Amino acid sequence: LEGDANRDGVVSAGDYGSVQANFGDSGNPGILGDADGNGVVSAGDYGSVQTNFGNSAGTVLPIPEPATLCILLSMSSITLLQKRK
């Protein structure tokens, strides 16, 4: 993910900190702090974080099973009915 300097799947303020903490390091593309993937942690990485700020890797949110959802709705209904009495 372009701009994700700390490799947590989200381009956020933490990526600026990762660039700062690793500034000047070099090695294989993708080292910590290397937000633009060129193998060097430099001023360009700050720009990459800024350009891609708020982006995230494709994440899948879990969807509850129908049985679980049914139980939750039943319990909510029971709770609401008890409060009315």
Side-chain angles (χ1 to χ4, degrees), residues 6-74:
N6 62 2
R7 308 292 177 248
D8 67 352
V10 179
V11 182
S12 62
D15 295 300
Y16 286 113
S18 184
V19 172
Q20 182 178 5
N22 298 287
F23 198 84
D25 289 353
S26 62
N28 292 328
I31 60 172
L32 283 178
D34 183 19
D36 60 9
N38 68 355
V40 179
V41 183
S42 63
D45 296 299
Y46 286 113
S48 182
V49 173
Q50 183 178 9
T51 300
N52 297 288
F53 197 85
N55 291 346
S56 62
T59 55
V60 177
L61 297 175
I63 298 173
E65 294 182 34
T68 304
L69 187 58
C70 189
I71 291 170
L72 289 173
L73 290 173
S74 296

